[in-house]
Amino acid sequence: MAKTPRDIIDEGRLGKWQIAALAMTIVLNALDGFDVMSISFAAPGIAEEWAVPKDVLGWVLSMELIGMAVGSILLGGMADRFGRRPTIIGCLVVMTTGMLLAPSSTDVTQLSLWRLLTGLGIGGMLAALNATVAEFANARYRNLVLPLMLIGYPLGAFFGGMLASVWLAGGDWRVVFYLGAALTIACIPLTLWLVPETPDWLNEKRPERALERINKVLQRFDLLQLKQLPDPPEKQARAPLVEILQPPLLTRTILLTLAYLTHVTAYYYFVKWIPKLVVDMGFDASAGGGVLTLAMLGGAIGGGLLGVVSLKIGIRKATVISLAGAFVMLNIFGRAPADIAMLGWIAGITAFFSNAAAVGFYALLAMAFPSRVRATGTGFGIGFGRAGAAMGPALAGILFARGLNMDDVSTIISIGSLLSIFAILLLKMPKPAKGD
Protein backbone atom coordinates (compact mmCIF):
# COMPACT_ATOMS: atom_id res chain seq x y z
CA MET A 1 0.00 0.00 0.00
CA ALA A 2 1.42 3.41 -1.01
CA LYS A 3 2.51 5.73 1.77
CA THR A 4 0.49 8.84 2.47
CA PRO A 5 1.96 12.27 3.28
CA ARG A 6 0.92 11.61 6.87
CA ASP A 7 2.98 8.42 6.98
CA ILE A 8 6.04 10.22 5.59
CA ILE A 9 5.80 13.10 8.07
CA ASP A 10 5.09 10.81 11.03
CA GLU A 11 8.08 8.58 10.29
CA GLY A 12 10.50 11.36 9.35
CA ARG A 13 12.72 13.67 11.35
CA LEU A 14 11.94 17.35 11.90
CA GLY A 15 13.92 19.29 9.26
CA LYS A 16 15.04 22.90 9.61
CA TRP A 17 12.24 24.33 7.42
CA GLN A 18 9.71 22.15 9.23
CA ILE A 19 10.97 23.51 12.55
CA ALA A 20 10.84 27.04 11.10
CA ALA A 21 7.20 26.56 10.07
CA LEU A 22 6.34 25.24 13.54
CA ALA A 23 8.23 28.13 15.15
CA MET A 24 6.18 30.58 13.08
CA THR A 25 2.98 29.08 14.49
CA ILE A 26 4.34 29.87 17.97
CA VAL A 27 4.92 33.47 16.87
CA LEU A 28 1.38 33.68 15.46
CA ASN A 29 -0.08 32.31 18.67
CA ALA A 30 2.00 34.84 20.60
CA LEU A 31 0.43 37.53 18.45
CA ASP A 32 -3.00 36.16 19.35
CA GLY A 33 -2.07 36.27 23.02
CA PHE A 34 -1.07 39.92 22.94
CA ASP A 35 -4.03 40.96 20.79
CA VAL A 36 -6.47 39.27 23.18
CA MET A 37 -4.87 40.67 26.34
CA SER A 38 -4.38 44.18 24.94
CA ILE A 39 -7.83 45.19 26.19
CA SER A 40 -6.88 44.06 29.71
CA PHE A 41 -3.76 46.24 29.71
CA ALA A 42 -5.84 49.17 28.43
CA ALA A 43 -8.86 48.59 30.73
CA PRO A 44 -7.82 50.84 33.65
CA GLY A 45 -7.20 53.77 31.29
CA ILE A 46 -10.47 53.17 29.43
CA ALA A 47 -12.45 52.99 32.67
CA GLU A 48 -10.90 56.24 33.92
CA GLU A 49 -11.21 58.23 30.68
CA TRP A 50 -14.82 57.25 29.92
CA ALA A 51 -16.01 56.62 33.52
CA VAL A 52 -17.04 53.06 32.64
CA PRO A 53 -18.79 51.16 35.47
CA LYS A 54 -17.61 47.63 36.28
CA ASP A 55 -20.61 45.79 34.85
CA VAL A 56 -20.19 47.59 31.50
CA LEU A 57 -16.41 47.10 31.56
CA GLY A 58 -16.96 43.37 32.02
CA TRP A 59 -18.77 43.24 28.67
CA VAL A 60 -16.07 45.30 26.96
CA LEU A 61 -13.47 42.81 28.23
CA SER A 62 -15.57 39.98 26.79
CA MET A 63 -16.21 41.30 23.28
CA GLU A 64 -13.22 39.78 21.49
CA LEU A 65 -13.98 36.48 23.25
CA ILE A 66 -17.42 36.56 21.64
CA GLY A 67 -15.77 37.35 18.30
CA MET A 68 -13.33 34.48 18.85
CA ALA A 69 -16.23 32.12 19.44
CA VAL A 70 -17.87 33.05 16.15
CA GLY A 71 -14.54 33.11 14.31
CA SER A 72 -13.51 29.69 15.59
CA ILE A 73 -16.74 28.08 14.42
CA LEU A 74 -17.18 29.84 11.07
CA LEU A 75 -13.59 30.51 10.00
CA GLY A 76 -12.29 27.27 11.49
CA GLY A 77 -14.54 25.45 9.03
CA MET A 78 -13.05 27.54 6.22
CA ALA A 79 -9.63 26.08 7.05
CA ASP A 80 -11.01 22.61 6.27
CA ARG A 81 -12.64 23.83 3.08
CA PHE A 82 -10.15 26.31 1.58
CA GLY A 83 -6.90 25.39 3.31
CA ARG A 84 -4.96 26.17 6.47
CA ARG A 85 -2.63 28.76 4.92
CA PRO A 86 -5.15 31.08 3.21
CA THR A 87 -7.33 31.01 6.33
CA ILE A 88 -4.41 32.09 8.52
CA ILE A 89 -3.50 34.96 6.15
CA GLY A 90 -7.12 36.13 5.91
CA CYS A 91 -7.47 36.10 9.68
CA LEU A 92 -4.30 38.19 10.06
CA VAL A 93 -5.84 40.84 7.79
CA VAL A 94 -9.04 40.88 9.87
CA MET A 95 -7.03 41.18 13.10
CA THR A 96 -4.98 44.06 11.69
CA THR A 97 -8.14 45.95 10.76
CA GLY A 98 -9.65 45.56 14.22
CA MET A 99 -6.48 46.58 16.03
CA LEU A 100 -5.97 49.66 13.85
CA LEU A 101 -9.55 50.87 14.32
CA ALA A 102 -9.78 50.31 18.10
CA PRO A 103 -7.78 53.48 19.05
CA SER A 104 -10.14 55.61 16.94
CA SER A 105 -13.09 54.70 19.18
CA THR A 106 -14.87 57.54 20.93
CA ASP A 107 -17.10 55.43 23.19
CA VAL A 108 -17.60 51.94 24.58
CA THR A 109 -19.90 50.86 21.75
CA GLN A 110 -17.36 51.61 19.01
CA LEU A 111 -14.53 50.00 20.94
CA SER A 112 -16.63 46.88 21.52
CA LEU A 113 -17.35 46.62 17.78
CA TRP A 114 -13.64 46.72 16.85
CA ARG A 115 -12.76 44.25 19.59
CA LEU A 116 -15.46 41.93 18.21
CA LEU A 117 -13.87 42.18 14.74
CA THR A 118 -10.40 41.47 16.16
CA GLY A 119 -11.79 38.43 17.94
CA LEU A 120 -13.24 37.05 14.70
CA GLY A 121 -9.76 36.93 13.18
CA ILE A 122 -8.14 35.50 16.30
CA GLY A 123 -10.72 32.74 16.62
CA GLY A 124 -10.37 31.62 13.04
CA MET A 125 -6.59 31.64 13.19
CA LEU A 126 -6.50 29.61 16.42
CA ALA A 127 -8.50 26.80 14.82
CA ALA A 128 -6.38 26.84 11.67
CA LEU A 129 -3.12 26.94 13.65
CA ASN A 130 -4.10 23.98 15.80
CA ALA A 131 -4.77 21.86 12.70
CA THR A 132 -1.60 23.12 11.00
CA VAL A 133 0.68 22.18 13.88
CA ALA A 134 -0.89 18.74 14.27
CA GLU A 135 -0.26 18.12 10.55
CA PHE A 136 3.29 19.53 10.38
CA ALA A 137 4.57 17.64 13.45
CA ASN A 138 5.81 14.05 13.30
CA ALA A 139 4.45 11.26 15.48
CA ARG A 140 7.37 11.35 17.93
CA TYR A 141 7.03 15.00 18.89
CA ARG A 142 3.36 15.82 18.27
CA ASN A 143 2.45 15.70 21.99
CA LEU A 144 5.29 18.13 22.67
CA VAL A 145 4.94 20.45 19.67
CA LEU A 146 1.24 21.20 20.21
CA PRO A 147 1.74 22.53 23.75
CA LEU A 148 4.86 24.43 22.63
CA MET A 149 2.82 26.21 19.96
CA LEU A 150 0.24 27.15 22.54
CA ILE A 151 2.69 28.67 25.02
CA GLY A 152 3.15 31.37 22.41
CA TYR A 153 -0.18 32.76 23.65
CA PRO A 154 1.00 33.76 27.15
CA LEU A 155 4.49 34.58 25.85
CA GLY A 156 2.97 37.15 23.49
CA ALA A 157 1.02 38.68 26.33
CA PHE A 158 4.14 38.61 28.53
CA PHE A 159 6.56 40.35 26.17
CA GLY A 160 3.87 42.65 24.79
CA GLY A 161 2.84 43.43 28.33
CA MET A 162 6.38 44.45 29.25
CA LEU A 163 6.28 47.05 26.48
CA ALA A 164 2.70 48.04 27.23
CA SER A 165 3.43 48.58 30.94
CA VAL A 166 6.22 51.03 30.06
CA TRP A 167 4.12 52.92 27.51
CA LEU A 168 1.05 52.94 29.77
CA ALA A 169 3.06 54.92 32.30
CA GLY A 170 2.47 57.82 29.90
CA GLY A 171 -1.26 57.47 30.45
CA ASP A 172 -2.54 56.76 26.90
CA TRP A 173 -4.23 53.35 26.61
CA ARG A 174 -4.40 53.62 22.79
CA VAL A 175 -0.69 52.85 22.33
CA VAL A 176 -1.41 49.22 23.25
CA PHE A 177 -3.58 48.74 20.17
CA TYR A 178 -1.11 50.51 17.87
CA LEU A 179 1.58 48.11 19.07
CA GLY A 180 -0.67 45.12 18.38
CA ALA A 181 -1.50 46.37 14.88
CA ALA A 182 2.17 46.86 14.00
CA LEU A 183 3.09 43.36 15.16
CA THR A 184 0.17 41.82 13.24
CA ILE A 185 1.16 43.54 10.00
CA ALA A 186 4.75 42.34 10.41
CA CYS A 187 3.59 38.72 10.71
CA ILE A 188 1.82 38.61 7.32
CA PRO A 189 4.94 38.43 5.07
CA LEU A 190 6.67 36.10 7.54
CA THR A 191 3.73 33.70 7.39
CA LEU A 192 3.68 33.76 3.59
CA TRP A 193 7.38 32.85 3.59
CA LEU A 194 7.50 30.19 6.31
CA VAL A 195 4.10 28.45 6.45
CA PRO A 196 3.10 26.37 3.38
CA GLU A 197 -0.16 24.50 2.96
CA THR A 198 -0.16 21.22 4.88
CA PRO A 199 0.37 18.00 2.90
CA ASP A 200 -2.51 16.44 4.88
CA TRP A 201 -4.98 19.00 3.56
CA LEU A 202 -3.63 18.77 -0.01
CA ASN A 203 -3.94 14.99 0.06
CA GLU A 204 -7.43 15.15 1.54
CA LYS A 205 -8.87 17.78 -0.84
CA ARG A 206 -6.85 16.99 -4.01
CA PRO A 207 -6.74 20.51 -5.55
CA GLU A 208 -5.08 21.12 -8.92
CA ARG A 209 -1.39 20.07 -8.93
CA ALA A 210 -1.85 18.35 -5.58
CA LEU A 211 1.04 15.90 -6.05
CA GLU A 212 3.40 18.67 -7.15
CA ARG A 213 2.43 20.87 -4.19
CA ILE A 214 2.72 18.01 -1.68
CA ASN A 215 6.17 17.07 -2.94
CA LYS A 216 7.31 20.69 -2.86
CA VAL A 217 6.48 20.86 0.85
CA LEU A 218 8.01 17.43 1.58
CA GLN A 219 11.18 18.42 -0.27
CA ARG A 220 11.38 21.65 1.70
CA PHE A 221 11.04 19.63 4.91
CA ASP A 222 13.86 17.23 3.81
CA LEU A 223 11.45 14.30 3.68
CA LEU A 224 10.79 11.54 1.15
CA GLN A 225 8.59 12.52 -1.77
CA LEU A 226 5.62 10.73 -3.32
CA LYS A 227 5.96 9.07 -6.72
CA GLN A 228 2.21 9.21 -7.07
CA LEU A 229 -0.77 10.20 -5.02
CA PRO A 230 -2.04 7.44 -2.72
CA ASP A 231 -5.57 6.18 -3.06
CA PRO A 232 -7.88 9.10 -2.29
CA PRO A 233 -9.33 9.21 1.23
CA GLU A 234 -12.80 7.82 1.51
CA LYS A 235 -15.30 10.54 0.70
CA GLN A 236 -17.64 11.52 3.49
CA ALA A 237 -21.26 12.04 2.55
CA ARG A 238 -21.72 14.35 5.51
CA ALA A 239 -20.44 17.89 5.89
CA PRO A 240 -17.65 18.31 8.51
CA LEU A 241 -19.92 20.10 11.00
CA VAL A 242 -22.59 17.42 10.63
CA GLU A 243 -20.01 14.66 11.10
CA ILE A 244 -18.67 15.96 14.42
CA LEU A 245 -22.26 16.26 15.71
CA GLN A 246 -23.13 12.63 14.96
CA PRO A 247 -21.80 9.33 16.35
CA PRO A 248 -19.07 8.28 16.79
CA LEU A 249 -17.70 11.84 17.23
CA LEU A 250 -20.70 13.39 19.00
CA THR A 251 -19.82 12.35 22.57
CA ARG A 252 -16.22 13.44 22.07
CA THR A 253 -17.36 16.82 20.70
CA ILE A 254 -19.76 17.46 23.58
CA LEU A 255 -17.39 16.49 26.40
CA LEU A 256 -14.41 18.43 25.04
CA THR A 257 -16.54 21.51 24.32
CA LEU A 258 -18.14 21.53 27.77
CA ALA A 259 -14.85 20.86 29.53
CA TYR A 260 -13.08 23.63 27.66
CA LEU A 261 -16.01 26.02 28.15
CA THR A 262 -16.19 25.64 31.93
CA HIS A 263 -12.43 25.99 32.45
CA VAL A 264 -11.79 28.99 30.21
CA THR A 265 -14.73 30.79 31.79
CA ALA A 266 -12.67 30.77 34.99
CA TYR A 267 -9.38 31.42 33.18
CA TYR A 268 -10.59 34.52 31.34
CA TYR A 269 -12.21 35.99 34.44
CA PHE A 270 -8.78 35.77 36.05
CA VAL A 271 -6.61 37.21 33.26
CA LYS A 272 -9.09 39.83 32.07
CA TRP A 273 -9.74 41.39 35.47
CA ILE A 274 -6.22 41.35 36.97
CA PRO A 275 -5.18 44.91 35.99
CA LYS A 276 -8.46 46.49 37.13
CA LEU A 277 -8.50 44.55 40.43
CA VAL A 278 -4.91 45.60 41.15
CA VAL A 279 -5.80 49.25 40.45
CA ASP A 280 -8.82 48.91 42.77
CA MET A 281 -6.40 47.84 45.54
CA GLY A 282 -4.73 51.25 45.27
CA PHE A 283 -1.94 50.61 42.77
CA ASP A 284 -1.43 52.39 39.45
CA ALA A 285 -2.25 51.03 35.97
CA SER A 286 1.36 50.09 35.18
CA ALA A 287 1.47 47.96 38.36
CA GLY A 288 -1.69 46.19 37.24
CA GLY A 289 -0.10 45.55 33.86
CA GLY A 290 3.01 44.25 35.64
CA VAL A 291 1.01 41.68 37.63
CA LEU A 292 -0.73 40.51 34.45
CA THR A 293 2.67 40.26 32.74
CA LEU A 294 3.92 37.99 35.53
CA ALA A 295 0.77 35.92 35.17
CA MET A 296 1.48 35.49 31.47
CA LEU A 297 5.05 34.39 32.24
CA GLY A 298 3.71 31.78 34.65
CA GLY A 299 1.23 30.66 31.99
CA ALA A 300 3.99 30.26 29.41
CA ILE A 301 6.08 28.14 31.79
CA GLY A 302 3.06 26.01 32.68
CA GLY A 303 2.13 25.42 29.06
CA GLY A 304 5.68 24.46 28.16
CA LEU A 305 6.05 22.04 31.07
CA LEU A 306 2.72 20.44 30.21
CA GLY A 307 4.21 19.31 26.91
CA VAL A 308 7.19 17.70 28.65
CA VAL A 309 5.03 16.06 31.33
CA SER A 310 2.54 14.79 28.74
CA LEU A 311 5.34 12.82 27.04
CA LYS A 312 5.65 10.85 30.28
CA ILE A 313 2.09 10.51 31.59
CA GLY A 314 -0.13 11.42 28.63
CA ILE A 315 -1.93 14.60 27.74
CA ARG A 316 -5.20 13.75 29.52
CA LYS A 317 -3.61 13.06 32.93
CA ALA A 318 -1.45 16.17 32.63
CA THR A 319 -4.54 18.25 31.83
CA VAL A 320 -6.52 16.91 34.80
CA ILE A 321 -3.64 17.69 37.20
CA SER A 322 -3.43 21.21 35.78
CA LEU A 323 -7.18 21.74 36.20
CA ALA A 324 -6.98 20.73 39.87
CA GLY A 325 -4.12 23.17 40.43
CA ALA A 326 -6.05 25.94 38.65
CA PHE A 327 -9.08 25.40 40.90
CA VAL A 328 -7.01 25.64 44.08
CA MET A 329 -4.93 28.63 42.98
CA LEU A 330 -7.89 30.68 41.76
CA ASN A 331 -9.36 30.46 45.26
CA ILE A 332 -6.03 31.53 46.73
CA PHE A 333 -5.92 34.45 44.28
CA GLY A 334 -9.33 35.59 45.51
CA ARG A 335 -7.90 35.90 49.04
CA ALA A 336 -4.62 37.56 48.01
CA PRO A 337 -3.37 40.48 50.16
CA ALA A 338 -2.84 43.98 48.77
CA ASP A 339 0.87 43.35 48.37
CA ILE A 340 2.16 43.86 44.83
CA ALA A 341 5.01 41.33 45.14
CA MET A 342 2.73 38.66 46.62
CA LEU A 343 0.08 39.37 43.98
CA GLY A 344 2.66 38.80 41.27
CA TRP A 345 3.67 35.41 42.65
CA ILE A 346 0.10 34.24 43.21
CA ALA A 347 -0.98 35.42 39.76
CA GLY A 348 2.00 33.66 38.16
CA ILE A 349 1.29 30.32 39.86
CA THR A 350 -2.44 30.57 39.13
CA ALA A 351 -1.74 31.19 35.46
CA PHE A 352 0.86 28.37 35.49
CA PHE A 353 -1.88 25.81 36.14
CA SER A 354 -4.69 27.60 34.30
CA ASN A 355 -2.84 28.00 31.02
CA ALA A 356 -1.34 24.52 31.22
CA ALA A 357 -4.89 23.16 31.35
CA ALA A 358 -5.97 25.38 28.43
CA VAL A 359 -2.99 24.12 26.41
CA GLY A 360 -4.02 20.57 27.24
CA PHE A 361 -7.45 21.17 25.74
CA TYR A 362 -5.99 22.37 22.44
CA ALA A 363 -3.85 19.26 22.22
CA LEU A 364 -6.83 17.04 23.07
CA LEU A 365 -8.96 18.75 20.43
CA ALA A 366 -6.29 18.34 17.75
CA MET A 367 -5.93 14.63 18.51
CA ALA A 368 -9.63 13.88 18.99
CA PHE A 369 -10.71 14.43 15.36
CA PRO A 370 -9.56 12.92 12.04
CA SER A 371 -7.78 15.25 9.60
CA ARG A 372 -10.81 15.74 7.34
CA VAL A 373 -12.70 17.48 10.17
CA ARG A 374 -9.81 18.52 12.43
CA ALA A 375 -10.11 22.30 11.98
CA THR A 376 -13.91 22.09 12.15
CA GLY A 377 -13.83 20.02 15.35
CA THR A 378 -11.18 22.23 16.90
CA GLY A 379 -13.03 25.38 15.84
CA PHE A 380 -16.31 24.08 17.25
CA GLY A 381 -14.75 23.23 20.61
CA ILE A 382 -12.83 26.50 20.83
CA GLY A 383 -15.75 28.52 19.48
CA PHE A 384 -18.45 27.35 21.86
CA GLY A 385 -15.91 27.26 24.65
CA ARG A 386 -15.03 30.90 24.02
CA ALA A 387 -18.72 31.81 23.81
CA GLY A 388 -19.04 30.54 27.35
CA ALA A 389 -15.71 32.06 28.31
CA ALA A 390 -17.02 35.46 27.30
CA MET A 391 -19.38 35.12 30.24
CA GLY A 392 -16.43 34.90 32.66
CA PRO A 393 -15.41 38.59 32.60
CA ALA A 394 -19.03 39.68 32.06
CA LEU A 395 -20.36 37.58 34.95
CA ALA A 396 -17.60 38.85 37.19
CA GLY A 397 -18.53 42.44 36.30
CA ILE A 398 -22.16 41.78 37.24
CA LEU A 399 -21.16 40.13 40.53
CA PHE A 400 -18.77 42.97 41.40
CA ALA A 401 -21.47 45.54 40.60
CA ARG A 402 -23.80 43.75 43.03
CA GLY A 403 -21.33 44.14 45.87
CA LEU A 404 -19.51 40.80 45.92
CA ASN A 405 -15.80 40.99 46.71
CA MET A 406 -12.87 39.36 44.90
CA ASP A 407 -12.92 36.39 47.28
CA ASP A 408 -16.57 35.55 46.60
CA VAL A 409 -16.35 36.05 42.83
CA SER A 410 -13.21 33.92 42.51
CA THR A 411 -14.77 31.09 44.51
CA ILE A 412 -17.93 31.06 42.40
CA ILE A 413 -16.16 31.14 39.05
CA SER A 414 -13.43 28.64 40.02
CA ILE A 415 -16.08 25.90 40.03
CA GLY A 416 -15.74 25.86 36.24
CA SER A 417 -12.28 24.26 36.45
CA LEU A 418 -13.63 21.62 38.82
CA LEU A 419 -16.44 20.71 36.41
CA SER A 420 -13.88 20.36 33.61
CA ILE A 421 -12.12 17.57 35.49
CA PHE A 422 -15.24 15.42 35.51
CA ALA A 423 -15.84 15.95 31.80
CA ILE A 424 -12.25 14.99 30.91
CA LEU A 425 -12.46 11.85 33.04
CA LEU A 426 -15.51 10.75 31.03
CA LEU A 427 -13.74 11.34 27.69
CA LYS A 428 -12.62 8.40 25.53
CA MET A 429 -9.90 9.45 23.11
CA PRO A 430 -9.42 7.55 19.82
CA LYS A 431 -6.41 5.37 19.20
CA PRO A 432 -4.08 6.94 16.62
CA ALA A 433 -4.95 5.56 13.19
CA LYS A 434 -2.35 5.00 10.47
CA GLY A 435 -2.57 7.70 7.88
CA ASP A 436 -4.27 10.19 10.19
Side-chain angles (χ1 to χ4, degrees), residues 328-382:
V328 172
M329 287 306 305
L330 192 55
N331 280 277
I332 293 175
F333 169 75
R335 296 162 176 78
D339 180 294
I340 200 68
M342 184 64 70
L343 280 168
W345 276 103
I346 293 174
I349 297 171
T350 303
F352 175 94
F353 287 108
S354 295
N355 190 63
V359 166
F361 280 114
Y362 276 79
L364 288 170
L365 282 164
M367 294 184 290
F369 299 99
S371 61
R372 63 182 179 273
V373 294
R374 182 167 288 133
T376 299
T378 300
F380 186 92
I382 295 172

Side-chain angles (χ1 to χ4, degrees), residues 358-426:
V359 166
F361 280 114
Y362 276 79
L364 288 170
L365 282 164
M367 294 184 290
F369 299 99
S371 61
R372 63 182 179 273
V373 294
R374 182 167 288 133
T376 299
T378 300
F380 186 92
I382 295 172
F384 276 91
R386 288 282 163 77
M391 292 303 300
L395 175 60
I398 294 170
L399 294 175
F400 283 132
R402 293 193 174 185
L404 274 70
N405 58 31
M406 190 167 77
D407 182 357
D408 296 330
V409 174
S410 297
T411 298
I412 292 169
I413 296 182
S414 71
I415 296 172
S417 296
L418 196 60
L419 293 175
S420 288
I421 294 176
F422 294 106
I424 291 297
L425 293 177
L426 292 172

Side-chain angles (χ1 to χ4, degrees), residues 29-30 32-38 40-41 150-162 165 267-275 288-304 343-356 358-359:
N29 210 36
D32 280 352
F34 178 71
D35 284 0
V36 169
M37 300 312 301
S38 59
S40 297
F41 292 116
L150 292 162
I151 67 170
Y153 192 89
L155 281 176
F158 171 69
F159 288 112
M162 291 177 66
S165 293
Y267 175 66
Y268 276 105
Y269 148 68
F270 167 68
V271 296
K272 288 288 190 176
W273 274 97
I274 284 177
V291 173
L292 179 56
T293 299
L294 290 174
M296 293 299 100
L297 177 60
I301 296 171
L343 280 168
W345 276 103
I346 293 174
I349 297 171
T350 303
F352 175 94
F353 287 108
S354 295
N355 190 63
V359 166

Side-chain angles (χ1 to χ4, degrees), residues 178-252:
Y178 287 127
L179 173 61
L183 293 172
T184 307
I185 292 170
C187 281
I188 294 175
L190 286 173
T191 302
L192 289 169
W193 177 38
L194 294 174
V195 182
E197 187 54 74
T198 69
D200 285 71
W201 184 87
L202 292 169
N203 183 54
E204 181 74 34
K205 298 299 183 181
R206 305 291 174 103
E208 186 179 354
R209 299 172 35 247
L211 179 60
E212 177 186 343
R213 294 174 65 186
I214 290 171
N215 279 335
K216 186 176 181 180
V217 177
L218 294 177
Q219 182 182 28
R220 191 181 197 188
F221 287 175
D222 293 325
L223 297 171
L224 296 174
Q225 296 179 51
L226 296 174
K227 294 182 179 179
Q228 62 183 37
L229 286 173
D231 292 336
E234 183 180 348
K235 293 295 183 181
Q236 299 295 311
R238 295 168 291 184
L241 184 59
V242 174
E243 185 173 352
I244 67 170
L245 295 177
Q246 291 185 357
L249 299 180
L250 176 61
T251 301
R252 207 176 302 163

Side-chain angles (χ1 to χ4, degrees), residues 61-348:
L61 292 172
S62 293
M63 289 311 295
E64 86 276 353
L65 296 176
I66 296 172
M68 288 169 72
V70 178
S72 293
I73 296 169
L74 297 183
L75 301 184
M78 288 180 64
D80 281 332
R81 183 176 180 183
F82 300 109
R84 306 345 185 177
R85 188 172 187 253
T87 301
I88 291 171
I89 297 299
C91 289
L92 284 171
V93 173
V94 173
M95 291 163 59
T96 298
T97 303
M99 293 296 284
L100 282 174
L101 290 173
S104 67
S105 304
T106 57
D107 56 35
V108 168
T109 301
Q110 288 184 19
L111 179 61
S112 297
L113 177 63
W114 303 135
R115 293 305 295 163
L116 185 69
L117 180 64
T118 305
L120 283 170
I122 294 172
M125 189 160 76
L126 282 172
L129 282 178
N130 217 40
T132 299
V133 172
E135 292 166 9
F136 278 163
N138 60 14
R140 181 178 180 183
Y141 291 111
R142 189 168 294 117
N143 274 3
L144 176 63
V145 171
L146 277 164
L148 284 178
M149 181 272 286
L150 292 162
I151 67 170
Y153 192 89
L155 281 176
F158 171 69
F159 288 112
M162 291 177 66
L163 291 174
S165 293
V166 173
W167 290 350
L168 282 169
D172 188 359
W173 54 267
R174 293 169 180 82
V175 297
V176 177
F177 297 110
Y178 287 127
L179 173 61
L183 293 172
T184 307
I185 292 170
C187 281
I188 294 175
L190 286 173
T191 302
L192 289 169
W193 177 38
L194 294 174
V195 182
E197 187 54 74
T198 69
D200 285 71
W201 184 87
L202 292 169
N203 183 54
E204 181 74 34
K205 298 299 183 181
R206 305 291 174 103
E208 186 179 354
R209 299 172 35 247
L211 179 60
E212 177 186 343
R213 294 174 65 186
I214 290 171
N215 279 335
K216 186 176 181 180
V217 177
L218 294 177
Q219 182 182 28
R220 191 181 197 188
F221 287 175
D222 293 325
L223 297 171
L224 296 174
Q225 296 179 51
L226 296 174
K227 294 182 179 179
Q228 62 183 37
L229 286 173
D231 292 336
E234 183 180 348
K235 293 295 183 181
Q236 299 295 311
R238 295 168 291 184
L241 184 59
V242 174
E243 185 173 352
I244 67 170
L245 295 177
Q246 291 185 357
L249 299 180
L250 176 61
T251 301
R252 207 176 302 163
T253 300
I254 291 174
L255 286 174
L256 279 171
T257 300
L258 289 177
Y260 182 67
L261 184 156
T262 53
H263 172 61
V264 295
T265 296
Y267 175 66
Y268 276 105
Y269 148 68
F270 167 68
V271 296
K272 288 288 190 176
W273 274 97
I274 284 177
K276 185 64 172 67
L277 293 174
V278 171
V279 169
D280 288 347
M281 290 180 182
F283 301 101
D284 60 27
S286 61
V291 173
L292 179 56
T293 299
L294 290 174
M296 293 299 100
L297 177 60
I301 296 171
L305 286 181
L306 180 97
V308 176
V309 172
S310 67
L311 290 177
K312 301 292 184 181
I313 67 174
I315 194 69
R316 177 157 60 175
K317 288 183 180 178
T319 303
V320 168
I321 292 170
S322 300
L323 286 167
F327 170 74
V328 172
M329 287 306 305
L330 192 55
N331 280 277
I332 293 175
F333 169 75
R335 296 162 176 78
D339 180 294
I340 200 68
M342 184 64 70
L343 280 168
W345 276 103
I346 293 174

